Amino acid sequence: LTAASAAHPLKVTLRTGLDHQCGGAPTEGDLSDARMLWMYALSLNLPRLEAAREAWQKVTKMEDGTRPLVGYRAELWDPRKPEWAPLDLGVQAAAEAGGSNIEEAWKAS
């Protein structure tokens, strides 16, 4: 719950951006990028994911680990990179342990 509450402002920003972008509806890639950023933000409040988070920060050349949009480079945020899997799975496991799942949490207002 703490992770979801802390990451909520970023989720609102991302979803608002997706809803108001020029050129029509967001692409599947846009949605994937937004969810990855949000899931990374969720991981900031999960101490057991610190090592995985630090590895991802290096892969994405993140300037500030607490502010993933600063210096954001979409081409580096590739979910196929092996460093993403521990964060992805860790955040999903935390959501499930809290009685939710990532899909439900992303869709929640």
Side-chain angles (χ1 to χ4, degrees), residues 39-40 42-43 46 49 86-96 102:
M39 288 177 72
Y40 173 84
L42 288 171
S43 80
L46 301 171
L49 295 179
L87 275 178
D88 184 7
L89 297 173
V91 169
Q92 288 185 52
E96 290 169 8
I102 291 299

Side-chain angles (χ1 to χ4, degrees), residues 61-72:
K61 299 180 178 15
M62 202 177 303
E63 294 176 17
D64 180 345
T66 62
R67 298 178 6 191
L69 289 175
V70 174
Y72 173 73

Side-chain angles (χ1 to χ4, degrees), residues 47-89:
R48 65 186 171 89
L49 295 179
E50 182 176 6
R53 197 169 42 251
E54 288 175 355
W56 189 248
Q57 290 167 6
K58 289 179 185 170
V59 166
T60 60
K61 299 180 178 15
M62 202 177 303
E63 294 176 17
D64 180 345
T66 62
R67 298 178 6 191
L69 289 175
V70 174
Y72 173 73
R73 295 170 54 186
E75 69 277 7
L76 299 178
W77 285 68
D78 184 343
R80 297 169 295 187
K81 292 183 178 179
E83 294 85 357
W84 177 248
L87 275 178
D88 184 7
L89 297 173

Side-chain angles (χ1 to χ4, degrees), residues 16-33:
T16 300
L18 289 170
D19 291 342
H20 295 98
Q21 69 180 6
C22 296
T27 66
E28 198 61 39
D30 295 335
L31 293 170
S32 175
D33 289 352

